[in-house]
Amino acid sequence: MTVDTQERPTALTPVLATWVRPSRLSRAALPVTWLLTRAAMLLLLLRDDAHPIGVGGVAREVHGLYAHWYATLAHGAFPADDPMWQYPPGAGPLLLAPGALPGLTYFQGFVALTLAADALVTYVLVRGDRDPRGAWLWTAGLPLLLHIPLARYDVQVTALAVLALLTLQAAPRLSGTLAALGALVKVWPALTLLGAPRGRTTRQAWGSALAAAAALLVTLALAFRSPFSFLSGQSGRGVQIESLGGTALAVAARFGWPGRVRYQYGAMEYVGPYVGVVAGACLALTAAAFGVLLWWRVRARQYSVATPYDAALCAVLMFTVTSRVISPQYLIWLLGLSAVCLTSRYTSQRPVALLVLAAAGVSALAYPVLYADVMAGTWLGVAVMAVRNALLLGGVLLSFRSLWRATKE
Protein backbone atom coordinates (compact mmCIF):
# COMPACT_ATOMS: atom_id res chain seq x y z
CA MET A 1 0.00 0.00 0.00
CA THR A 2 1.19 3.49 -0.83
CA VAL A 3 -0.08 6.84 0.28
CA ASP A 4 -0.58 9.26 -2.57
CA THR A 5 -0.15 12.96 -1.85
CA GLN A 6 -0.84 14.15 -5.37
CA GLU A 7 -4.29 15.50 -6.10
CA ARG A 8 -5.96 13.71 -8.98
CA PRO A 9 -7.61 16.16 -11.39
CA THR A 10 -10.96 15.37 -12.97
CA ALA A 11 -12.77 16.75 -15.97
CA LEU A 12 -14.74 19.00 -13.64
CA THR A 13 -11.74 20.30 -11.73
CA PRO A 14 -11.68 23.74 -13.45
CA VAL A 15 -15.38 24.21 -12.76
CA LEU A 16 -15.11 23.04 -9.18
CA ALA A 17 -12.08 25.22 -8.56
CA THR A 18 -14.20 28.28 -9.22
CA TRP A 19 -17.33 26.87 -7.59
CA VAL A 20 -16.19 27.95 -4.10
CA ARG A 21 -12.71 29.39 -3.84
CA PRO A 22 -11.32 29.18 -0.29
CA SER A 23 -9.69 32.58 -0.80
CA ARG A 24 -13.14 34.09 -1.17
CA LEU A 25 -14.54 32.49 1.95
CA SER A 26 -14.16 34.62 4.99
CA ARG A 27 -14.14 32.53 8.15
CA ALA A 28 -16.05 35.34 9.79
CA ALA A 29 -18.84 34.88 7.23
CA LEU A 30 -19.33 31.22 8.05
CA PRO A 31 -20.84 31.64 11.56
CA VAL A 32 -23.01 34.50 10.31
CA THR A 33 -24.33 32.32 7.50
CA TRP A 34 -24.86 29.46 9.91
CA LEU A 35 -26.87 31.67 12.29
CA LEU A 36 -29.03 33.14 9.54
CA THR A 37 -29.82 29.83 7.87
CA ARG A 38 -30.52 28.04 11.16
CA ALA A 39 -32.79 30.88 12.26
CA ALA A 40 -34.77 30.43 9.04
CA MET A 41 -34.96 26.66 9.58
CA LEU A 42 -36.10 27.20 13.17
CA LEU A 43 -38.78 29.65 12.05
CA LEU A 44 -40.15 27.10 9.60
CA LEU A 45 -40.16 24.47 12.33
CA LEU A 46 -42.03 26.69 14.78
CA ARG A 47 -44.65 27.45 12.11
CA ASP A 48 -44.96 23.82 11.07
CA ASP A 49 -48.53 23.48 12.37
CA ALA A 50 -49.58 26.24 9.97
CA HIS A 51 -48.23 24.21 7.03
CA PRO A 52 -45.96 27.01 5.77
CA ILE A 53 -44.54 24.76 3.06
CA GLY A 54 -46.36 21.75 1.68
CA VAL A 55 -48.06 19.11 3.82
CA GLY A 56 -46.65 20.16 7.20
CA GLY A 57 -46.38 17.74 10.08
CA VAL A 58 -42.58 17.69 9.99
CA ALA A 59 -42.37 18.32 13.74
CA ARG A 60 -44.86 15.55 14.55
CA GLU A 61 -42.04 13.03 14.96
CA VAL A 62 -40.59 14.93 17.93
CA HIS A 63 -43.86 16.08 19.50
CA GLY A 64 -45.52 12.71 19.28
CA LEU A 65 -43.34 9.73 18.44
CA TYR A 66 -40.03 10.68 20.09
CA ALA A 67 -41.76 12.05 23.19
CA HIS A 68 -43.79 8.83 23.45
CA TRP A 69 -40.67 6.71 23.16
CA TYR A 70 -38.98 8.92 25.76
CA ALA A 71 -41.72 8.15 28.27
CA THR A 72 -41.23 4.41 27.73
CA LEU A 73 -37.45 4.63 27.86
CA ALA A 74 -37.59 6.72 31.03
CA HIS A 75 -39.26 3.73 32.72
CA GLY A 76 -36.37 1.44 31.79
CA ALA A 77 -37.71 -0.31 28.68
CA PHE A 78 -37.42 -0.02 24.94
CA PRO A 79 -40.75 0.39 23.08
CA ALA A 80 -40.76 -3.23 21.92
CA ASP A 81 -44.51 -3.30 21.27
CA ASP A 82 -44.42 -0.28 18.97
CA PRO A 83 -44.13 -1.41 15.31
CA MET A 84 -42.47 1.90 14.45
CA TRP A 85 -39.52 1.19 16.77
CA GLN A 86 -36.87 -0.19 14.41
CA TYR A 87 -33.66 1.32 15.76
CA PRO A 88 -30.62 -0.19 17.48
CA PRO A 89 -30.45 0.26 21.26
CA GLY A 90 -27.98 3.14 21.04
CA ALA A 91 -30.89 5.34 20.00
CA GLY A 92 -32.29 5.02 23.52
CA PRO A 93 -29.82 7.29 25.35
CA LEU A 94 -29.96 9.77 22.48
CA LEU A 95 -33.76 10.02 22.76
CA LEU A 96 -33.55 10.30 26.53
CA ALA A 97 -31.10 13.22 26.43
CA PRO A 98 -33.59 16.04 25.58
CA GLY A 99 -35.64 15.25 28.66
CA ALA A 100 -32.59 15.74 30.88
CA LEU A 101 -32.18 19.43 29.98
CA PRO A 102 -33.59 21.57 32.81
CA GLY A 103 -36.18 24.22 32.08
CA LEU A 104 -37.00 22.98 28.58
CA THR A 105 -39.81 20.92 27.14
CA TYR A 106 -38.89 17.72 25.36
CA PHE A 107 -39.36 19.42 22.00
CA GLN A 108 -37.24 22.42 22.98
CA GLY A 109 -34.51 20.19 24.38
CA PHE A 110 -34.46 18.05 21.24
CA VAL A 111 -34.09 21.05 18.94
CA ALA A 112 -31.43 22.58 21.18
CA LEU A 113 -29.34 19.39 21.10
CA THR A 114 -29.80 19.09 17.34
CA LEU A 115 -28.56 22.64 16.81
CA ALA A 116 -25.62 21.97 19.13
CA ALA A 117 -24.67 18.89 17.09
CA ASP A 118 -25.04 20.91 13.89
CA ALA A 119 -22.74 23.62 15.26
CA LEU A 120 -20.21 20.99 16.33
CA VAL A 121 -20.11 19.52 12.82
CA THR A 122 -19.54 22.98 11.35
CA TYR A 123 -16.74 23.69 13.81
CA VAL A 124 -14.81 20.46 13.29
CA LEU A 125 -15.12 20.77 9.51
CA VAL A 126 -13.48 24.19 9.47
CA ARG A 127 -10.90 23.92 12.23
CA GLY A 128 -7.17 23.61 11.53
CA ASP A 129 -5.96 23.68 7.96
CA ARG A 130 -8.96 21.88 6.48
CA ASP A 131 -10.35 23.17 3.21
CA PRO A 132 -13.30 25.41 4.19
CA ARG A 133 -15.36 24.13 1.25
CA GLY A 134 -16.45 21.26 3.47
CA ALA A 135 -17.83 23.51 6.20
CA TRP A 136 -19.55 25.68 3.61
CA LEU A 137 -21.19 22.71 1.93
CA TRP A 138 -22.60 21.60 5.28
CA THR A 139 -23.65 25.10 6.32
CA ALA A 140 -25.33 25.96 3.03
CA GLY A 141 -26.48 22.45 2.11
CA LEU A 142 -28.39 21.48 5.25
CA PRO A 143 -31.00 24.28 4.85
CA LEU A 144 -31.87 22.82 1.44
CA LEU A 145 -33.78 20.22 3.46
CA LEU A 146 -35.77 23.06 5.06
CA HIS A 147 -36.69 22.32 8.70
CA ILE A 148 -36.51 18.51 8.47
CA PRO A 149 -32.99 18.28 10.02
CA LEU A 150 -34.18 20.00 13.21
CA ALA A 151 -36.96 17.45 13.71
CA ARG A 152 -34.92 14.26 13.25
CA TYR A 153 -31.97 12.90 15.20
CA ASP A 154 -29.92 12.23 12.07
CA VAL A 155 -27.83 15.37 12.65
CA GLN A 156 -26.55 13.87 15.91
CA VAL A 157 -25.74 10.57 14.20
CA THR A 158 -24.00 12.40 11.36
CA ALA A 159 -21.93 14.30 13.91
CA LEU A 160 -20.59 10.99 15.28
CA ALA A 161 -19.73 9.81 11.75
CA VAL A 162 -18.01 13.08 10.86
CA LEU A 163 -15.94 12.99 14.04
CA ALA A 164 -15.05 9.34 13.42
CA LEU A 165 -13.72 10.15 9.95
CA LEU A 166 -11.82 13.27 10.94
CA THR A 167 -10.07 11.53 13.86
CA LEU A 168 -9.21 8.32 11.99
CA GLN A 169 -5.63 9.23 11.05
CA ALA A 170 -4.56 10.86 14.31
CA ALA A 171 -6.54 8.77 16.80
CA PRO A 172 -7.82 5.52 15.26
CA ARG A 173 -9.01 4.11 18.58
CA LEU A 174 -11.13 7.20 19.24
CA SER A 175 -12.40 7.02 15.67
CA GLY A 176 -13.47 3.40 16.14
CA THR A 177 -15.28 4.25 19.36
CA LEU A 178 -17.18 7.11 17.70
CA ALA A 179 -18.08 4.93 14.73
CA ALA A 180 -19.38 2.23 17.08
CA LEU A 181 -21.50 4.72 19.00
CA GLY A 182 -23.00 5.95 15.73
CA ALA A 183 -23.57 2.42 14.46
CA LEU A 184 -25.49 1.51 17.61
CA VAL A 185 -27.85 4.40 16.86
CA LYS A 186 -28.38 3.98 13.10
CA VAL A 187 -25.97 1.31 11.81
CA TRP A 188 -24.57 3.22 8.81
CA PRO A 189 -21.74 5.05 10.70
CA ALA A 190 -19.93 1.70 10.83
CA LEU A 191 -19.16 2.31 7.15
CA THR A 192 -16.88 5.21 8.11
CA LEU A 193 -14.19 2.62 8.90
CA LEU A 194 -14.41 0.91 5.50
CA GLY A 195 -11.58 2.95 3.97
CA ALA A 196 -9.21 2.87 6.93
CA PRO A 197 -5.62 2.32 5.76
CA ARG A 198 -4.52 -1.28 6.08
CA GLY A 199 -2.37 -2.34 8.97
CA ARG A 200 -2.18 -0.73 12.37
CA THR A 201 -4.82 1.94 11.72
CA THR A 202 -7.42 -0.60 10.65
CA ARG A 203 -6.63 -2.95 13.54
CA GLN A 204 -6.84 -0.19 16.13
CA ALA A 205 -9.99 1.40 14.70
CA TRP A 206 -11.94 -1.84 14.27
CA GLY A 207 -10.69 -3.29 17.54
CA SER A 208 -11.81 -0.21 19.41
CA ALA A 209 -15.15 -0.21 17.57
CA LEU A 210 -15.89 -3.80 18.53
CA ALA A 211 -14.89 -3.25 22.14
CA ALA A 212 -16.96 -0.06 22.45
CA ALA A 213 -19.98 -1.66 20.81
CA ALA A 214 -19.80 -4.68 23.11
CA ALA A 215 -19.44 -2.51 26.22
CA LEU A 216 -22.38 -0.30 25.29
CA LEU A 217 -24.59 -3.25 24.36
CA VAL A 218 -23.91 -4.94 27.70
CA THR A 219 -24.62 -1.68 29.55
CA LEU A 220 -27.90 -1.13 27.72
CA ALA A 221 -28.93 -4.76 28.19
CA LEU A 222 -28.44 -4.36 31.95
CA ALA A 223 -30.14 -0.96 32.14
CA PHE A 224 -33.17 -1.54 29.89
CA ARG A 225 -35.68 -4.23 29.06
CA SER A 226 -36.02 -5.49 25.46
CA PRO A 227 -32.93 -3.72 24.03
CA PHE A 228 -32.81 -6.03 21.00
CA SER A 229 -36.46 -5.75 19.98
CA PHE A 230 -35.40 -3.77 16.92
CA LEU A 231 -34.06 -6.95 15.30
CA SER A 232 -37.56 -8.02 14.26
CA GLY A 233 -38.74 -4.50 13.44
CA GLN A 234 -37.32 -4.41 9.91
CA SER A 235 -38.66 -7.77 8.74
CA GLY A 236 -42.09 -6.45 7.85
CA ARG A 237 -40.95 -3.32 6.07
CA GLY A 238 -42.33 -2.79 2.60
CA VAL A 239 -41.24 -0.38 -0.11
CA GLN A 240 -41.36 3.30 0.82
CA ILE A 241 -42.78 5.59 -1.85
CA GLU A 242 -39.59 7.67 -1.91
CA SER A 243 -37.23 4.78 -2.57
CA LEU A 244 -35.87 3.72 -5.94
CA GLY A 245 -38.18 0.72 -5.87
CA GLY A 246 -41.05 2.99 -4.88
CA THR A 247 -40.42 5.15 -7.93
CA ALA A 248 -40.59 2.05 -10.14
CA LEU A 249 -43.92 1.09 -8.55
CA ALA A 250 -45.23 4.65 -8.93
CA VAL A 251 -44.50 4.52 -12.66
CA ALA A 252 -46.18 1.11 -12.85
CA ALA A 253 -49.23 2.54 -11.08
CA ARG A 254 -49.56 5.19 -13.78
CA PHE A 255 -49.91 2.35 -16.27
CA GLY A 256 -52.45 0.32 -14.35
CA TRP A 257 -50.65 -1.49 -11.52
CA PRO A 258 -53.35 -1.98 -8.83
CA GLY A 259 -51.21 -1.29 -5.74
CA ARG A 260 -51.87 1.48 -3.26
CA VAL A 261 -50.12 3.58 -0.64
CA ARG A 262 -50.57 2.84 3.06
CA TYR A 263 -49.04 4.30 6.21
CA GLN A 264 -47.14 1.61 8.07
CA TYR A 265 -43.94 1.33 10.11
CA GLY A 266 -43.79 5.11 10.33
CA ALA A 267 -43.68 5.70 6.56
CA MET A 268 -45.87 5.77 3.47
CA GLU A 269 -45.30 2.43 1.74
CA TYR A 270 -46.69 0.61 -1.27
CA VAL A 271 -48.79 -2.49 -0.75
CA GLY A 272 -50.08 -4.76 -3.47
CA PRO A 273 -48.94 -7.31 -6.04
CA TYR A 274 -45.20 -7.67 -6.62
CA VAL A 275 -44.25 -5.34 -3.75
CA GLY A 276 -42.51 -8.29 -2.10
CA VAL A 277 -40.56 -8.91 -5.29
CA VAL A 278 -39.41 -5.29 -5.42
CA ALA A 279 -38.46 -5.38 -1.73
CA GLY A 280 -36.49 -8.57 -2.32
CA ALA A 281 -34.72 -6.99 -5.28
CA CYS A 282 -33.71 -4.05 -3.07
CA LEU A 283 -32.24 -6.41 -0.49
CA ALA A 284 -30.39 -8.31 -3.22
CA LEU A 285 -28.95 -5.05 -4.54
CA THR A 286 -27.84 -4.12 -1.01
CA ALA A 287 -26.05 -7.45 -0.70
CA ALA A 288 -24.44 -6.89 -4.11
CA ALA A 289 -23.32 -3.42 -3.03
CA PHE A 290 -21.69 -4.95 0.04
CA GLY A 291 -19.86 -7.40 -2.20
CA VAL A 292 -18.66 -4.64 -4.52
CA LEU A 293 -17.33 -2.67 -1.57
CA LEU A 294 -15.45 -5.69 -0.24
CA TRP A 295 -14.01 -6.25 -3.71
CA TRP A 296 -12.82 -2.64 -3.79
CA ARG A 297 -11.29 -3.00 -0.33
CA VAL A 298 -9.30 -6.07 -1.40
CA ARG A 299 -8.15 -4.54 -4.66
CA ALA A 300 -7.35 -1.01 -3.45
CA ARG A 301 -3.63 -0.24 -3.40
CA GLN A 302 -3.18 3.53 -3.66
CA TYR A 303 -4.36 5.34 -0.53
CA SER A 304 -4.44 9.09 0.04
CA VAL A 305 -5.45 10.96 3.17
CA ALA A 306 -8.90 11.38 1.61
CA THR A 307 -9.49 7.70 0.82
CA PRO A 308 -11.37 6.94 4.08
CA TYR A 309 -13.63 9.94 3.44
CA ASP A 310 -14.31 8.98 -0.17
CA ALA A 311 -14.94 5.33 0.68
CA ALA A 312 -17.42 6.27 3.41
CA LEU A 313 -19.42 8.52 1.08
CA CYS A 314 -19.43 5.89 -1.66
CA ALA A 315 -20.54 3.14 0.72
CA VAL A 316 -23.37 5.13 2.31
CA LEU A 317 -24.55 6.25 -1.13
CA MET A 318 -24.69 2.61 -2.23
CA PHE A 319 -26.65 1.48 0.79
CA THR A 320 -28.98 4.48 0.57
CA VAL A 321 -29.86 3.96 -3.09
CA THR A 322 -30.44 0.20 -2.70
CA SER A 323 -32.55 0.60 0.44
CA ARG A 324 -36.29 -0.08 0.58
CA VAL A 325 -36.55 3.25 2.40
CA ILE A 326 -34.99 6.56 1.33
CA SER A 327 -36.37 9.09 3.79
CA PRO A 328 -35.45 12.75 3.24
CA GLN A 329 -33.33 12.76 6.39
CA TYR A 330 -30.96 10.29 4.73
CA LEU A 331 -29.67 13.27 2.77
CA ILE A 332 -28.34 14.66 6.07
CA TRP A 333 -25.91 11.72 6.17
CA LEU A 334 -24.81 12.27 2.60
CA LEU A 335 -24.33 16.01 3.10
CA GLY A 336 -22.17 15.38 6.17
CA LEU A 337 -19.99 12.83 4.40
CA SER A 338 -19.71 15.02 1.29
CA ALA A 339 -18.60 17.88 3.50
CA VAL A 340 -15.88 15.70 5.06
CA CYS A 341 -14.64 14.78 1.58
CA LEU A 342 -14.37 18.44 0.60
CA THR A 343 -12.17 19.20 3.62
CA SER A 344 -9.32 17.46 1.76
CA ARG A 345 -7.83 18.65 -1.50
CA TYR A 346 -7.04 15.01 -2.33
CA THR A 347 -10.68 13.90 -2.53
CA SER A 348 -12.03 12.25 -5.66
CA GLN A 349 -15.64 13.06 -4.75
CA ARG A 350 -16.08 16.74 -5.63
CA PRO A 351 -18.50 16.09 -8.52
CA VAL A 352 -20.43 13.69 -6.30
CA ALA A 353 -20.83 16.41 -3.68
CA LEU A 354 -22.57 18.57 -6.29
CA LEU A 355 -24.99 15.75 -7.08
CA VAL A 356 -25.72 15.29 -3.37
CA LEU A 357 -26.45 19.01 -3.03
CA ALA A 358 -28.85 18.86 -5.97
CA ALA A 359 -30.52 15.74 -4.56
CA ALA A 360 -31.02 17.50 -1.22
CA GLY A 361 -32.80 20.38 -2.92
CA VAL A 362 -35.07 18.06 -4.89
CA SER A 363 -35.75 16.01 -1.73
CA ALA A 364 -37.27 19.07 -0.09
CA LEU A 365 -39.55 19.42 -3.10
CA ALA A 366 -40.64 15.80 -2.66
CA TYR A 367 -41.18 16.27 1.09
CA PRO A 368 -42.76 18.40 2.36
CA VAL A 369 -43.45 20.77 -0.57
CA LEU A 370 -45.04 18.35 -3.07
CA TYR A 371 -45.62 15.36 -0.83
CA ALA A 372 -49.34 15.30 -1.58
CA ASP A 373 -48.46 14.68 -5.24
CA VAL A 374 -45.88 12.04 -4.29
CA MET A 375 -48.43 10.18 -2.15
CA ALA A 376 -51.09 10.44 -4.83
CA GLY A 377 -48.67 9.26 -7.50
CA THR A 378 -49.39 12.12 -9.89
CA TRP A 379 -47.08 12.62 -12.83
CA LEU A 380 -45.59 15.63 -11.00
CA GLY A 381 -44.92 13.56 -7.90
CA VAL A 382 -43.44 10.72 -9.96
CA ALA A 383 -41.21 13.17 -11.87
CA VAL A 384 -39.86 14.77 -8.69
CA MET A 385 -39.00 11.41 -7.16
CA ALA A 386 -37.48 10.16 -10.42
CA VAL A 387 -35.20 13.20 -10.62
CA ARG A 388 -34.12 12.91 -6.96
CA ASN A 389 -33.40 9.20 -7.24
CA ALA A 390 -31.66 9.60 -10.60
CA LEU A 391 -29.32 12.12 -8.97
CA LEU A 392 -28.55 9.66 -6.17
CA LEU A 393 -28.07 6.78 -8.60
CA GLY A 394 -25.77 8.91 -10.72
CA GLY A 395 -23.90 9.81 -7.55
CA VAL A 396 -23.35 6.12 -6.77
CA LEU A 397 -21.94 5.34 -10.20
CA LEU A 398 -19.72 8.41 -10.30
CA SER A 399 -18.58 7.94 -6.71
CA PHE A 400 -17.48 4.34 -7.16
CA ARG A 401 -15.77 5.05 -10.48
CA SER A 402 -13.85 7.95 -8.94
CA LEU A 403 -12.93 5.93 -5.85
CA TRP A 404 -11.74 3.01 -7.96
CA ARG A 405 -9.58 5.19 -10.20
CA ALA A 406 -8.09 7.03 -7.23
CA THR A 407 -7.06 3.85 -5.42
CA LYS A 408 -5.97 1.50 -8.19
CA GLU A 409 -2.25 0.73 -8.65
Side-chain angles (χ1 to χ4, degrees):
M1 181 195 75
T2 60
V3 177
D4 181 18
T5 58
Q6 298 298 317
E7 185 171 12
R8 297 174 180 270
T10 69
L12 292 180
T13 296
V15 176
L16 294 165
T18 57
W19 167 42
V20 182
R21 289 185 181 275
S23 60
R24 297 177 182 174
L25 299 177
S26 167
R27 289 182 181 269
L30 186 66
V32 173
T33 304
W34 188 91
L35 288 171
L36 291 175
T37 54
R38 274 47 181 183
M41 293 166 67
L42 186 58
L43 179 62
L44 284 175
L45 184 67
L46 295 176
R47 292 181 51 82
D48 184 61
D49 289 339
H51 296 194
I53 299 177
V55 296
V58 173
R60 193 180 301 124
E61 294 264 344
V62 182
H63 282 300
L65 194 59
Y66 293 177
H68 169 69
W69 287 343
Y70 166 79
T72 304
L73 289 162
H75 286 87
F78 283 89
D81 296 330
D82 190 335
M84 289 190 288
W85 177 257
Q86 303 151 21
Y87 305 105
L94 194 150
L95 291 170
L96 281 170
L101 297 181
L104 298 177
T105 66
Y106 185 85
F107 177 77
Q108 292 169 341
F110 183 90
V111 175
L113 290 176
T114 304
L115 286 170
D118 178 13
L120 175 62
V121 171
T122 308
Y123 171 73
V124 298
L125 286 170
V126 79
R127 73 184 299 268
D129 59 352
R130 295 183 179 121
D131 192 323
R133 291 186 183 122
W136 276 97
L137 183 141
W138 173 259
T139 300
L142 202 63
L144 293 177
L145 295 170
L146 303 176
H147 47 309
I148 293 171
L150 298 184
R152 304 292 186 271
Y153 62 85
D154 296 86
V155 173
Q156 291 91 316
V157 181
T158 302
L160 290 170
V162 168
L163 288 167
L165 281 170
L166 293 178
T167 57
L168 180 60
Q169 297 288 344
R173 289 191 177 90
L174 174 60
S175 174
T177 299
L178 292 167
L181 294 177
L184 287 180
V185 178
K186 275 212 168 177
V187 181
W188 69 266
L191 296 171
T192 57
L193 302 181
L194 176 69
R198 293 193 182 109
R200 183 179 180 183
T201 300
T202 290
R203 290 194 300 271
Q204 289 182 343
W206 279 103
S208 176
L210 292 173
L216 182 57
L217 284 174
V218 169
T219 301
L220 292 173
L222 293 173
F224 294 91
R225 298 185 299 277
S226 306
F228 304 109
S229 58
F230 76 100
L231 292 173
S232 60
Q234 291 287 339
S235 60
R237 290 303 301 259
V239 177
Q240 189 199 33
I241 61 176
E242 295 166 82
S243 67
L244 204 63
T247 300
L249 291 172
V251 173
R254 299 300 305 177
F255 291 96
W257 176 67
R260 58 190 177 87
V261 175
R262 184 170 70 191
Y263 182 77
Q264 56 185 17
Y265 300 102
M268 303 304 295
E269 297 185 345
Y270 279 111
V271 294
Y274 307 111
V275 170
V277 174
V278 174
C282 291
L283 291 174
L285 287 172
T286 298
F290 184 70
V292 168
L293 290 168
L294 287 180
W295 179 55
W296 165 79
R297 173 74 185 186
V298 171
R299 297 291 300 273
R301 292 294 181 271
Q302 192 84 4
Y303 278 64
S304 77
V305 293
T307 298
Y309 311 161
D310 297 352
L313 175 58
C314 182
V316 175
L317 264 171
M318 281 189 175
F319 281 92
T320 297
V321 168
T322 59
S323 174
R324 293 171 293 172
V325 179
I326 307 181
S327 298
Q329 58 264 31
Y330 288 17
L331 273 295
I332 299 172
W333 317 344
L334 299 175
L335 286 169
L337 296 176
S338 297
V340 173
C341 289
L342 292 190
T343 61
S344 173
R345 66 188 184 92
Y346 303 116
T347 183
S348 64
Q349 302 293 304
R350 291 191 186 95
V352 180
L354 290 177
L355 292 178
V356 169
L357 274 176
V362 179
S363 284
L365 282 179
Y367 180 84
V369 178
L370 297 173
Y371 201 54
D373 287 278
V374 175
M375 288 189 293
T378 67
W379 277 118
L380 178 59
V382 171
V384 169
M385 290 315 312
V387 170
R388 198 283 301 272
N389 289 335
L391 288 167
L392 291 178
L393 182 58
V396 168
L397 299 175
L398 182 58
S399 180
F400 183 75
R401 187 185 70 172
S402 301
L403 178 64
W404 180 265
R405 290 180 173 179
T407 55
K408 67 180 182 180
E409 288 184 283

